[in-house]
Amino acid sequence: MKSKKDIKNIFNKLFLHFGHQHWWPADSPFEVVLGAILTQNTNWANVEKAINNLKKEKLITPKKIYHLHQNKLARLIKPAGYFNIKAKRIKNFINFVFSDYDGNIKKMFVQDIVTLRKSLLSVNGIGEETADSIILYAAALPIFVVDAYTKRIFTRLGFFKEESSYQDVQNFFMQNLPQDVKMFNEFHALIVRLAKELCLKNKPRCKLCPLK
């Protein structure tokens, strides 16, 4: 049975090996929200291109996106892929913020985690990982983000089974780590780093893994 000590030991080894990851790279909470939606099914390099297109047009505010035509939004975020779908999802989120919080995401972020998460998941196109990324990185509230990398690494380490649910995996981290925003932020970023560089989906580089 994997313990609280095991999970903390993994964090310490990853941090010692990779160092501070400085994640999430954004100039504002709203930019984090956009990035969380745009990063669905693509890599961060493509998200950065899409974000930069919006920045060039000075559109990184809820109000400006709210008044922007969806077709133009889709053209600007094209580098992120699935741009028509993602433009609709961003619009869904913006419309939700304006209808429920007067267009002010700060009003949304003062809610407790359970209420905020439920609200975000009610928005079409916002799933668990995206909602939790918004809660952790934009609202700065302590919730552990689970992604495919997390499941891949910790299934290989024997913490979970392949069929373990998002909630099962998240609950394990939440129950065995201090409820600390900075730690959750750093841990998730380190997991992503490990998965991208060493714990690859195919042909993992196990001999180089700091967790071996």
Side-chain angles (χ1 to χ4, degrees), residues 39 43 55 60 63 139 168 174 204 210:
T39 200
N43 61 55
K55 283 185 174 180
I60 310 288
K63 186 175 181 180
D168 288 339
M174 296 288 288

PDB file of all heavy atoms in Angstrom, residues 39 43 55 60 63 139 168 174 204 210:
ATOM      1  N   THR A  39      -5.108  24.640 -24.227  1.00  0.00           N
ATOM      2  CA  THR A  39      -4.141  23.538 -24.162  1.00  0.00           C
ATOM      3  C   THR A  39      -4.780  22.160 -24.318  1.00  0.00           C
ATOM      4  O   THR A  39      -4.073  21.154 -24.421  1.00  0.00           O
ATOM      5  CB  THR A  39      -3.327  23.606 -22.852  1.00  0.00           C
ATOM      6  OG1 THR A  39      -2.131  22.845 -23.004  1.00  0.00           O
ATOM      7  CG2 THR A  39      -4.123  23.091 -21.669  1.00  0.00           C
ATOM      8  N   ASN A  43      -0.056  20.947 -27.652  1.00  0.00           N
ATOM      9  CA  ASN A  43       1.098  21.205 -26.782  1.00  0.00           C
ATOM     10  C   ASN A  43       1.196  22.688 -26.458  1.00  0.00           C
ATOM     11  O   ASN A  43       0.578  23.529 -27.115  1.00  0.00           O
ATOM     12  CB  ASN A  43       2.393  20.685 -27.430  1.00  0.00           C
ATOM     13  CG  ASN A  43       2.698  21.360 -28.752  1.00  0.00           C
ATOM     14  OD1 ASN A  43       2.785  22.583 -28.838  1.00  0.00           O
ATOM     15  ND2 ASN A  43       2.879  20.569 -29.796  1.00  0.00           N
ATOM     16  N   LYS A  55      -2.687  38.635 -27.726  1.00  0.00           N
ATOM     17  CA  LYS A  55      -1.978  39.757 -27.099  1.00  0.00           C
ATOM     18  C   LYS A  55      -1.682  40.862 -28.111  1.00  0.00           C
ATOM     19  O   LYS A  55      -1.778  42.053 -27.788  1.00  0.00           O
ATOM     20  CB  LYS A  55      -0.676  39.257 -26.458  1.00  0.00           C
ATOM     21  CG  LYS A  55      -0.882  38.530 -25.150  1.00  0.00           C
ATOM     22  CD  LYS A  55       0.447  38.157 -24.500  1.00  0.00           C
ATOM     23  CE  LYS A  55       0.225  37.574 -23.124  1.00  0.00           C
ATOM     24  NZ  LYS A  55       1.504  37.202 -22.453  1.00  0.00           N
ATOM     25  N   ILE A  60      -6.707  40.269 -24.297  1.00  0.00           N
ATOM     26  CA  ILE A  60      -6.678  39.399 -23.122  1.00  0.00           C
ATOM     27  C   ILE A  60      -7.462  40.007 -21.960  1.00  0.00           C
ATOM     28  O   ILE A  60      -6.937  40.257 -20.866  1.00  0.00           O
ATOM     29  CB  ILE A  60      -5.223  39.089 -22.689  1.00  0.00           C
ATOM     30  CG1 ILE A  60      -4.378  38.617 -23.865  1.00  0.00           C
ATOM     31  CG2 ILE A  60      -5.216  38.012 -21.599  1.00  0.00           C
ATOM     32  CD1 ILE A  60      -4.692  37.230 -24.363  1.00  0.00           C
ATOM     33  N   LYS A  63     -13.956  41.276 -21.171  1.00  0.00           N
ATOM     34  CA  LYS A  63     -14.845  42.183 -21.897  1.00  0.00           C
ATOM     35  C   LYS A  63     -14.555  42.183 -23.392  1.00  0.00           C
ATOM     36  O   LYS A  63     -15.472  42.141 -24.222  1.00  0.00           O
ATOM     37  CB  LYS A  63     -14.725  43.597 -21.332  1.00  0.00           C
ATOM     38  CG  LYS A  63     -15.726  44.576 -21.922  1.00  0.00           C
ATOM     39  CD  LYS A  63     -15.630  45.940 -21.239  1.00  0.00           C
ATOM     40  CE  LYS A  63     -16.650  46.916 -21.822  1.00  0.00           C
ATOM     41  NZ  LYS A  63     -16.560  48.251 -21.153  1.00  0.00           N
ATOM     42  N   ALA A 139      -7.257  30.754  -9.910  1.00  0.00           N
ATOM     43  CA  ALA A 139      -7.886  31.174  -8.655  1.00  0.00           C
ATOM     44  C   ALA A 139      -6.956  31.008  -7.454  1.00  0.00           C
ATOM     45  O   ALA A 139      -7.233  31.541  -6.380  1.00  0.00           O
ATOM     46  CB  ALA A 139      -9.169  30.379  -8.423  1.00  0.00           C
ATOM     47  N   ASP A 168     -10.558   9.216  -8.254  1.00  0.00           N
ATOM     48  CA  ASP A 168      -9.768   8.323  -7.402  1.00  0.00           C
ATOM     49  C   ASP A 168      -8.328   8.814  -7.298  1.00  0.00           C
ATOM     50  O   ASP A 168      -7.747   8.841  -6.211  1.00  0.00           O
ATOM     51  CB  ASP A 168      -9.770   6.895  -7.954  1.00  0.00           C
ATOM     52  CG  ASP A 168     -11.102   6.194  -7.779  1.00  0.00           C
ATOM     53  OD1 ASP A 168     -11.894   6.626  -6.904  1.00  0.00           O
ATOM     54  OD2 ASP A 168     -11.368   5.226  -8.522  1.00  0.00           O
ATOM     55  N   MET A 174      -4.891  14.518  -2.829  1.00  0.00           N
ATOM     56  CA  MET A 174      -5.483  15.488  -1.907  1.00  0.00           C
ATOM     57  C   MET A 174      -5.426  14.987  -0.459  1.00  0.00           C
ATOM     58  O   MET A 174      -5.265  15.770   0.478  1.00  0.00           O
ATOM     59  CB  MET A 174      -6.927  15.775  -2.298  1.00  0.00           C
ATOM     60  CG  MET A 174      -7.106  16.440  -3.661  1.00  0.00           C
ATOM     61  SD  MET A 174      -6.578  18.159  -3.714  1.00  0.00           S
ATOM     62  CE  MET A 174      -7.872  18.953  -2.779  1.00  0.00           C
ATOM     63  N   PRO A 204       9.787   4.573 -22.702  1.00  0.00           N
ATOM     64  CA  PRO A 204      10.206   5.420 -21.574  1.00  0.00           C
ATOM     65  C   PRO A 204      11.694   5.239 -21.277  1.00  0.00           C
ATOM     66  O   PRO A 204      12.238   4.150 -21.427  1.00  0.00           O
ATOM     67  CB  PRO A 204       9.332   4.919 -20.421  1.00  0.00           C
ATOM     68  CG  PRO A 204       8.944   3.525 -20.810  1.00  0.00           C
ATOM     69  CD  PRO A 204       8.798   3.542 -22.295  1.00  0.00           C
ATOM     70  N   PRO A 210      14.739   9.920 -12.261  1.00  0.00           N
ATOM     71  CA  PRO A 210      15.172  10.217 -10.882  1.00  0.00           C
ATOM     72  C   PRO A 210      14.393   9.438  -9.831  1.00  0.00           C
ATOM     73  O   PRO A 210      14.760   9.445  -8.659  1.00  0.00           O
ATOM     74  CB  PRO A 210      14.896  11.715 -10.753  1.00  0.00           C
ATOM     75  CG  PRO A 210      13.803  12.005 -11.735  1.00  0.00           C
ATOM     76  CD  PRO A 210      14.082  11.083 -12.893  1.00  0.00           C
TER      77      PRO A 210
END
